[in-house]
């Protein structure tokens, strides 16, 4: 099944026999296995397993991919990864069931369970390492995080079994077993290529920016005092400080600031539509462009949040000016990268130009209002 992941069988054999990750894991497992050799106890192989899975997990979080010499087959990768995830889930379930009621497994049986789980963990991690960066860093991050979550779940399960009295199925063991299942189930919902991965992260950015816009609109609409919902009656009765209220000048300044926020949301929506319509993952160059778009777009929502925070009273106009300029620069950088990317067709240049003009208009208005208030 795995022999078709790469166009070259020679490369596949080389991955299996010379995988740096597996070689380093042998050292790690050897150190773990030597710690408790003298204890004739069923918990010994479990403690050793816990150490080795932790080692695998840490290397997954920090390690690099194996770049393929041949043509990487993404479809076969997903088939193989799905089987590896399924095997890891099954082995974790077997372990949990074995330690759910008396009689407990013997030390020999415990060693067999530990060996089976360790093999499934190593197989899952190794398949993840086959995914090259050239197929998309955004995609690879999502697969890495999902793989690490499965390994975290197995670590938690083994730790619960080792730490709890080995007599009956505890609530913690039930929850940790369910955690492994949940982590494994999410693989079915992962994007299958870098275009889908970028679409997913862009959608999440849109949601964050939309929430920030709605938060500010709600604060304006509900009350003259944006802090009224977080202060008790005594605080409100004793407070005569107008620094907790928006002045008329503040509200005038908020309008173009909200214009920048709405331009942020529009930029992300237009980018998502362009990636959906024109995103190409057939060449390394276009895959890399999608990663660049996702990375730069990631800067938008924190910049929007900073601007929102600076708008709450007492409003610091210099802070508003600084954050508005920062957001505008980020958005212009995003638009510049969009303009030269493959997702931007000639027809898309119109909205790129329109948003650039909207940014200039709102920023100029913000600066004029701030200067007029000084």
């Amino acid at each position: 099944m795995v022999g078709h992941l790469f166009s070259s069988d020679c490369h596949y054999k080389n991955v299996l026999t010379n995988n740096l990750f597996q070689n380093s894991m042998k050292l790690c497992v050897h150190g773990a296995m030597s710690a408790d050799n003298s204890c004739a106890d069923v918990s010994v192989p479990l403690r050793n397993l816990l150490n080795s899975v932790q080692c695998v997990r840490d290397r997954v979080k920090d390690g690099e991919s194996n770049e393929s010499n041949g043509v990487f087959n993404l479809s076969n990768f997903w088939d193989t990864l799905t089987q590896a995830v399924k095997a890891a889930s099954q082995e974790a379930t077997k372990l949990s069931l074995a330690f759910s009621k008396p009689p407990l497994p013997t030390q020999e049986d415990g060693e067999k369970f530990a060996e089976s789980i360790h093999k499934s963990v190593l197989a899952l991690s190794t398949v993840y390492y086959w995914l090259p960066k050239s197929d998309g860093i955004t995609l690879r991050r999502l697969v890495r995080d999902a793989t690490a979550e499965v390994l975290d779940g197995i670590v938690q399960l083994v730790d619960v079994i080792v730490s709890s009295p080995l007599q009956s199925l505890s609530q913690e063991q039930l929850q940790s077993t369910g955690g492994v299942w949940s982590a494994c189930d999410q693989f079915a919902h992962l994007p299958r290529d870098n275009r889908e991965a970028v679409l997913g992260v862009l959608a999440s950015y849109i949601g964050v920016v939309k929430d920030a816009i709605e938060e500010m609109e709600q604060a304006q609409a509900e009350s003259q005092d944006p802090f009224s919902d977080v202060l008790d009656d005594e605080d409100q009765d004793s407070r005569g400080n107008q620094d907790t209220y928006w002045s008329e000048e503040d509200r005038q300044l908020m309008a173009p600031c909200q214009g920048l926020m709405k331009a942020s949301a529009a930029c992300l929506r237009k980018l998502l539509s362009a990636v959906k319509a024109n995103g190409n993952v057939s060449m390394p160059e276009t895959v890399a462009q999608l990663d660049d778009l996702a990375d730069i777009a990631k800067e938008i929502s924190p910049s929007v949040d900073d601007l929102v925070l600076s708008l709450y009273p007492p409003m610091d106009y210099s802070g508003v000016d600084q954050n508005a300029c920062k957001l505008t620069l980020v958005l212009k950088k995003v638009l510049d990268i969009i303009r030269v990317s493959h997702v931007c067709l000639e027809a898309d240049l119109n909205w790129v130009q329109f948003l650039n003009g909207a940014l200039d208009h709102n920023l100029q208005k913000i600066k004029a209002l701030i200067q007029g208030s000084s």
Side-chain angles (χ1 to χ4, degrees), residues 72-325:
F72 184 75
N73 190 315
L74 191 58
S75 177
N76 284 341
F77 164 80
W78 281 110
D79 290 342
T80 309
L81 185 63
T82 299
Q83 293 302 315
V85 171
K86 182 178 179 181
S89 178
Q90 290 175 340
E91 293 301 330
T93 303
K94 290 177 185 178
L95 178 71
S96 187
L97 286 173
F99 287 88
S100 64
K101 61 182 179 179
L104 296 177
T106 63
Q107 182 179 4
E108 181 180 358
D109 288 338
E111 290 173 350
K112 291 179 180 179
F113 282 120
E115 182 180 2
S116 294
I117 286 195
H118 180 259
K119 286 181 178 179
S120 69
V121 162
L122 194 57
L124 171 60
S125 306
T126 302
V127 175
Y128 153 70
Y129 269 87
W130 283 339
L131 181 60
K133 290 181 179 179
S134 57
D135 271 63
I137 293 176
T138 306
L139 174 65
R140 194 168 185 277
R141 284 173 185 158
L142 295 174
V143 178
R144 177 199 64 196
D145 292 346
T147 302
E149 189 171 339
V150 171
L151 300 179
D152 278 331
I154 293 175
V155 165
Q156 183 179 359
L157 172 61
V158 177
D159 187 45
V160 166
I161 293 175
V162 170
S163 303
S164 304
L166 300 177
Q167 296 176 352
S168 62
L169 185 62
S170 66
Q171 185 65 30
E172 291 79 7
Q173 187 174 333
L174 278 172
Q175 291 174 345
S176 57
T177 304
V180 176
W181 293 343
S182 177
C184 291
D185 288 345
Q186 72 172 323
F187 277 80
H189 306 290
L190 289 177
R192 261 30 189 181
D193 61 34
N194 207 47
R195 173 182 165 276
E196 290 185 15
V198 170
L199 287 173
V201 298
L202 289 176
S204 69
Y205 301 158
I206 291 172
V208 174
V209 172
K210 181 181 177 183
D211 289 344
I213 294 172
E214 291 177 351
E215 172 191 331
M216 184 53 56
E217 290 176 344
Q218 183 176 359
Q220 284 184 283
E222 285 185 348
S223 174
Q224 294 292 318
D225 182 355
F227 296 110
S228 61
D229 61 338
V230 295
L231 297 175
D232 56 34
D233 293 338
E234 182 179 346
D235 290 331
Q236 292 190 49
D237 291 341
S238 62
R239 191 178 79 256
N241 187 355
Q242 292 299 310
D243 283 345
T244 61
Y245 295 81
W246 280 305
S247 67
E248 185 58 34
E249 286 183 338
D250 293 343
R251 290 183 176 275
Q252 289 178 1
L253 181 58
M254 289 174 70
C257 290
Q258 287 178 296
L260 285 182
M261 296 179 213
K262 291 177 180 179
S264 302
C267 178
L268 286 170
R269 287 195 302 269
K270 287 292 189 179
L271 175 56
L272 184 143
S273 297
V275 171
K276 184 179 293 186
N278 308 319
N280 186 340
V281 292
S282 63
M283 297 180 292
E285 295 80 7
T286 56
V287 170
Q289 286 181 5
L290 292 176
D291 285 327
D292 290 341
L293 289 168
D295 286 342
I296 185 60
K298 186 177 182 179
E299 298 180 22
I300 295 177
S301 59
S303 299
V304 169
D305 287 339
D306 289 342
L307 180 57
V308 168
L309 290 174
S310 66
L311 292 175
Y312 279 98
M315 192 182 289
D316 176 12
Y317 283 13
S318 64
V320 173
D321 186 21
Q322 179 181 353
N323 288 318
C325 289

Side-chain angles (χ1 to χ4, degrees), residues 1-62:
M1 176 174 56
V2 294
H4 300 291
L5 270 173
F6 297 98
S7 60
S8 168
D9 287 339
C10 179
H11 178 79
Y12 162 66
K13 294 176 182 177
N14 184 57
V15 169
L16 284 180
T17 57
N18 299 312
N19 188 285
L20 176 62
F21 171 65
Q22 292 192 45
N23 289 339
S24 62
M25 274 307 307
K26 290 178 182 178
L27 297 175
C28 180
V29 174
H30 175 75
M33 294 297 183
S34 64
D36 294 301
N37 280 342
S38 60
C39 300
D41 190 323
V42 69
S43 66
V44 172
L46 295 183
R47 287 196 296 270
N48 294 334
L49 174 65
L50 180 62
N51 290 337
S52 63
V53 177
Q54 287 173 332
C55 189
V56 175
R57 177 200 60 193
D58 293 343
R59 290 185 178 277
V60 163
K61 290 181 177 180
D62 300 333

